[in-house]
Amino acid sequence: QVQLVESGGGSVPAGGSLRLSCVASGDTYSRYCMAWFRQAPGKEREEVASIDGDDSTTYADSVKGRFTISQDNAKNTLYLQMNGLSPEDTAMYYCAADPGVYSDIFETRLCRITYNYLGRGTQVTVSA
């Protein structure tokens, strides 16, 4: 089992910055892939950024160049630095973890689209 607790959300004006944190506990094997998702009212949940055990990262096109995902394994903490925030970034942000799936071809674990574990979320509100 994995437990995820997010913090760092809040209300900021457009152009502002926030840093989200997610403290993880539980099975380390199940936390090889870590990600941030967000869901705005009336919209589907979308993956914002991900990072794997080799520190390889991916970003949604809408946040590239503005958001940075990172992790501190010694502190079991995942971060999302968000700069240049706009009202379109307003959403509930969720931390997620997943063990990934082993690829015989690449001889490493790959991250999936779906994640097994999800935190309760932290609200980010950006005013115009």
Side-chain angles (χ1 to χ4, degrees):
Q1 277 287 30
V2 173
Q3 293 78 41
L4 305 167
V5 180
E6 304 95 334
S7 63
S11 297
V12 295
S17 298
L18 283 173
R19 188 175 82 155
L20 305 184
S21 299
C22 170
V23 177
S25 60
D27 179 14
T28 303
Y29 180 88
S30 296
R31 293 188 268 131
Y32 179 80
C33 301
M34 299 290 293
W36 288 98
F37 286 78
R38 69 184 179 186
Q39 187 167 19
K43 294 187 178 181
E44 293 187 358
R45 188 163 60 212
E46 62 171 344
E47 182 178 311
V48 174
S50 71
I51 187 168
D52 68 17
D54 295 322
D55 284 334
S56 294
T57 59
T58 64
Y59 295 93
D61 287 342
S62 59
V63 306
K64 280 181 182 177
R66 300 188 299 123
F67 291 12
T68 302
I69 189 171
S70 62
Q71 58 188 349
D72 185 333
N73 292 325
K75 295 182 178 180
N76 291 317
T77 302
L78 178 73
Y79 302 100
L80 185 68
Q81 178 67 45
M82 306 186 294
N83 299 326
L85 286 162
S86 71
E88 288 71 35
D89 295 314
T90 295
M92 184 71 80
Y93 284 71
Y94 299 90
C95 175
D98 191 79
V101 59
Y102 186 79
S103 167
D104 290 331
I105 296 175
F106 295 100
E107 296 183 343
T108 187
R109 278 191 276 177
L110 302 177
C111 295
R112 305 180 293 181
I113 296 175
T114 57
Y115 281 68
N116 273 353
Y117 303 97
L118 202 66
R120 292 191 173 187
T122 184
Q123 178 67 37
V124 171
T125 302
V126 185
S127 57

